[in-house]
Amino acid sequence: MLVHHKELWDEILDVVARVDAEACRTKISKEKTMPGRLLYSPKDMNDMFKASFEELGWKQRRQTFYVTDDEDLMRSIYSRPEEEQKSAIGQAGREPIMSYNQTDFVKNRIAVEVQFGKYAFVAHDLFVKHLSFFVADIIDVGIEILPMKQMERDMSSGVPYYERDLVNVIRQGRGVPAVPLILLGVLP
């Protein structure tokens, strides 16, 4: 990113800097462990990120493909365009099932996912979405923006945090997932 896409890296950092986390401290907790406490609102934070990224020309991207229950057939058609996938599945006498992956923001072959929702979604972003877009030759790198633990403490339960997902990626070993990734932890 610093060598080939410095201007995009600077844009991403600018977007992060523009998000006013304190203005997003709008959620009143109803959880038993912190009733009435004012927390960061994931929805408000996502809205701020979305507005800032879109202002800079980053767009949501959807990749449609077809699946079926025949593993060998799936392996033989995976890299083909979606209509060829559908046709090949039908010609093999199988049911073509339309599926898709969608990512938050893409610009010049860089994908960004902003994840302030539930922690389980980070694994899906890293090991499914970013990988799918990379294998389809749509992106060269995937970036995951996460709150750091210090920030996550002031959010609802179940929210992901940078430090945990960093170790989850490290635990997989080099080359897994097989897509260049950047985890970006943010603080208010």
Side-chain angles (χ1 to χ4, degrees), residues 26-141:
T26 59
K27 183 174 183 179
I28 299 171
S29 176
K30 296 177 184 170
E31 296 180 38
K32 288 180 182 180
T33 58
M34 49 183 150
R37 196 163 140 208
L38 195 57
L39 305 173
Y40 295 112
S41 164
K43 182 187 178 322
D44 291 351
M45 302 238 346
N46 283 333
D47 289 346
M48 279 194 174
F49 273 102
K50 184 177 191 290
S52 293
F53 272 116
E54 287 179 351
E55 183 180 304
L56 295 170
W58 293 77
K59 297 186 183 331
Q60 188 177 77
R61 178 74 188 262
R62 181 175 167 150
Q63 179 208 9
T64 303
F65 53 92
Y66 284 85
V67 297
T68 191
D69 62 350
D70 184 321
E71 179 183 352
D72 292 332
L73 178 57
M74 289 303 307
R75 288 181 185 277
S76 72
I77 66 167
Y78 181 76
S79 62
R80 293 188 198 171
E82 67 183 87
E83 286 308 313
E84 286 183 28
Q85 293 173 359
K86 182 179 181 181
S87 177
I89 293 170
Q91 289 174 5
R94 303 288 185 167
E95 177 190 2
I97 303 165
M98 189 190 81
S99 192
Y100 68 92
N101 285 313
Q102 189 167 315
T103 194
D104 291 342
F105 309 103
V106 176
K107 185 175 180 181
N108 296 350
R109 301 184 57 83
I110 309 300
V112 176
E113 281 288 319
V114 177
Q115 194 53 264
F116 291 93
K118 294 295 182 186
Y119 66 85
F121 296 139
V122 176
H124 184 73
D125 290 351
L126 299 178
F127 295 94
V128 176
K129 286 183 177 185
H130 289 307
L131 183 59
S132 174
F133 278 78
F134 182 73
V135 170
D137 199 28
I138 296 169
I139 67 167
D140 294 323
V141 65

Side-chain angles (χ1 to χ4, degrees), residues 6-24:
K6 174 105 172 71
E7 71 289 347
L8 293 178
W9 181 246
D10 290 343
E11 278 187 16
I12 293 165
L13 295 180
D14 180 56
V15 166
V16 170
R18 281 199 258 169
V19 172
D20 181 359
E22 291 308 314
C24 297

